Amino acid sequence: MAHKAVFFNFSRWGDEGRDLVSSNIELKNAGVEVVFAPDTLDEAHIPTDRDFDIAAVFMDSKVDAATISSLPNLRFIATLSTGFDHIDLKTATEKGIVVSSVPAYGENTVAEFAFALILALSRKVCEARARIRDEKGFSNDGLQGFDLAGKQIGVIGTGRIGKHAIRMAKGFGMRVFAYDVYHDEAFAKEMGFPYVTLEELLSISDIITVHCPYLPSTHHLINKGNIHLVKSGAYLINTARGAIVETEAVVGALKGGILSGAGLDVLEEEEQIKKGGVSGPIQELLAMPNVIVTPHNAFNTKEAALRILDTSLQNILGFIQGTPLNQVKPEA
Ligand code: NAD
């Protein structure tokens, strides 16, 4: 059977990425026609030509029920990401569409970014740069930071990325605490950290870093009801998914001094920001001087991109050969 794979909004992967996909010999041998579509895949961008059975998408696509229903030939979705909350897995599964993600592509990449945010906050890197660039000064008044060594870090989610974050934290001489629904006791023993409850983690951590997936069970895991438990003056880092943390709760905690700062690579309101015209708590958050917001960029290194594409191509081949790899299914 002939296959047609459309790679949506592929420009982010650069020429190197395009070459990697278009020159893949295994896809060619399998007779897969490869097409690069300029747009994302979502309800507003349903391609005129809908004869493809394979869609390769990134987080910027929104493959919801309406989109899926508009694509009668669709049989496989390869998301070029670890997270898959931009795909309606329930509808896809009901329609017999297989979905695969990239479970691992070098989780050091995201953990390194979490530490980039931590260090930027702890050592006031953005303020120091602005002192020289914008204020044309060279005084270090008001730029005193704090050491990471000896501080307590609470890691939510001790999966692939969380484990790297823990190793890095240990390298900085930090005391690690973790919360996860699944306890990897062997790893905890090896690294010398205890698992604690979420409530305990919030109350003892100088830095809280989020590394669990976004699931119905992790929606607003940190919220208006439990943010008061956070240790006074703590910092919150989220490089996982925006809606794990309730924006309104974070804004309230920053205003009330519960949180001293936040480093957020992901936000509940990512779509709203992309469309422009932000308002409400998110507008306040973006304007706060002790908050660093980055545009969902933690995964974005050259090395990680090539690994993501490589695994995605294997996922497509796995589907074609009838042995799907890295399949994701709706939460039971
Ligand atoms: P993983 O599956 O290896 O680990 C996730 C961990 O979270 C597991 O140990 C799991 O038991 C735990 N978990 C599940 N439900 C939980 C809950 N209710 N409370 C606490 N812990 C829970 O995933 P990973 O590779 O470490 O990635 C984690 C997340 O990071 C991804 O799901 C993705 O959303 C996000 N991510 C973000 C970027 C970015 O660019 N910002 C890039 C890659 C991944």
Side-chain angles (χ1 to χ4, degrees), residues 125-187:
V125 175
C126 299
E127 294 90 327
R129 185 178 201 250
R131 178 68 47 86
I132 293 182
R133 270 205 172 195
D134 308 334
E135 300 168 27
K136 313 286 180 212
F138 208 85
S139 154
N140 60 14
D141 286 353
L143 295 180
Q144 189 176 65
F146 63 88
D147 285 354
L148 295 188
K151 295 294 183 302
Q152 309 209 135
I153 185 165
V155 179
I156 299 179
T158 56
R160 287 169 284 243
I161 296 170
K163 283 192 172 77
H164 276 282
I166 289 170
R167 289 193 189 97
M168 290 173 198
K170 284 284 179 181
F172 278 103
M174 303 182 83
R175 295 187 63 201
V176 174
F177 298 86
Y179 167 70
D180 197 309
V181 285
Y182 166 76
H183 290 191
D184 187 339
E185 295 297 355
F187 181 71

Side-chain angles (χ1 to χ4, degrees), residues 55 76-87 89 93 97-107 160 307-330:
F76 182 62
I77 304 169
T79 183
L80 279 54
S81 59
T82 302
F84 40 83
D85 42 285
H86 52 301
I87 299 166
L89 286 185
T93 306
I97 297 167
V98 177
V99 182
S100 288
S101 76
V102 181
Y105 53 82
E107 299 70 20
R160 287 169 284 243
R307 288 190 293 259
I308 289 170
L309 291 178
D310 205 41
T311 304
S312 300
L313 293 178
Q314 292 310 314
N315 286 346
I316 293 174
L317 286 163
F319 164 72
I320 290 170
Q321 289 156 4
T323 49
L325 307 165
N326 304 314
Q327 202 175 341
V328 287
K329 293 182 177 165

Side-chain angles (χ1 to χ4, degrees), residues 82-83 103 105 107 110 156-162 179-182 211-213 215 217-218 221 239-241 265-266 296 298-299:
T82 302
Y105 53 82
E107 299 70 20
V110 177
I156 299 179
T158 56
R160 287 169 284 243
I161 296 170
Y179 167 70
D180 197 309
V181 285
Y182 166 76
H211 299 293
C212 60
L215 301 167
S217 58
T218 60
L221 197 65
T239 55
R241 281 294 176 273
D265 186 49
V266 287
H296 203 138
F299 71 96

